[in-house]
Amino acid sequence: MLYVTDDQRMLIMISVGSLLLLLPILPCAGQPFSDYYGGKTVKGAIGSSINFTWTILRPFTRVEWGLAVTPYAFETPPRLLVSYFKGNPLLVTPPAAYTGRVSGKNTGSQVSFILRNLRTSDERLYGCEVSDTSNGDDIPSFDSVTLVVEGRGNYFVVISCHHI
């Protein structure tokens, strides 16, 4: 799979007869998010909740949130925490450490994933993957965010990624 972010500049080389064409892939190609985390670090306090929110610019049928191994990919096999298909939640069995602490919300062009009762063991890289499976040839788009868990707190942190 090919994931393209705004930070990447890529070229596709296509040979047509004796001509070699270099076609740029636009920085926003495949990127459905109006704004994205891009692997940035967000902080939450032990015992608090954190809300990761993405606003999506293009039609999509599937969105998943889970544990990432790199800024561009889920762990293999995918360890999903929340998954939606055509706006409906799918049955996902998260790793035992996350059972009862994760939820999601899919409201049209915005998706939110909530992790409650933060623990120091929650400190890691998380990812969100969006795709439109209705056309059969969509390249999924992936975004990641690093969570750092600090001290003790009893508040709810809302992290929202959107750009107007």
Side-chain angles (χ1 to χ4, degrees):
M1 290 185 188
L2 172 68
Y3 300 101
V4 180
T5 68
D6 283 343
D7 297 326
Q8 296 173 318
R9 301 283 188 252
M10 302 181 76
L11 295 175
I12 295 178
M13 292 187 290
I14 300 175
S15 177
V16 181
S18 61
L19 296 174
L20 180 64
L21 302 175
L22 295 176
L23 303 174
I25 297 177
L26 300 176
C28 61
Q31 185 59 266
F33 309 107
S34 64
D35 203 354
Y36 53 97
Y37 294 98
K40 292 178 186 168
T41 298
V42 296
K43 296 178 182 181
I46 292 174
S48 69
S49 296
I50 192 159
N51 181 335
F52 300 100
T53 301
W54 283 267
T55 301
I56 301 169
L57 297 174
R58 64 178 170 92
F60 65 95
T61 54
R62 184 181 60 83
V63 61
E64 297 175 324
W65 180 57
L67 309 180
V69 66
T70 72
Y72 308 104
F74 286 127
E75 289 185 354
T76 304
R79 292 176 50 189
L80 299 179
L81 301 174
V82 179
S83 183
Y84 284 90
F85 183 72
K86 295 185 177 178
N88 298 307
L90 296 177
L91 180 61
V92 171
T93 303
Y98 293 90
T99 300
R101 299 190 308 122
V102 293
S103 62
K105 191 181 210 182
N106 184 351
T107 55
S109 65
Q110 194 170 69
V111 293
S112 299
F113 303 106
I114 301 167
L115 177 56
R116 287 179 284 290
N117 191 20
L118 290 180
R119 305 171 182 171
T120 54
S121 59
D122 295 330
E123 188 167 294
R124 60 165 303 123
L125 187 65
Y126 295 88
C128 177
E129 185 174 272
V130 176
S131 65
D132 182 6
T133 58
S134 63
N135 62 15
D137 62 355
D138 183 65
I139 297 173
S141 297
F142 195 87
D143 188 31
S144 62
V145 58
T146 300
L147 173 63
V148 172
V149 180
E150 300 177 326
R152 178 131 187 98
N154 293 316
Y155 53 90
F156 188 82
V157 179
V158 176
I159 306 295
S160 181
C161 252
H162 63 285
H163 180 69
I164 299 175

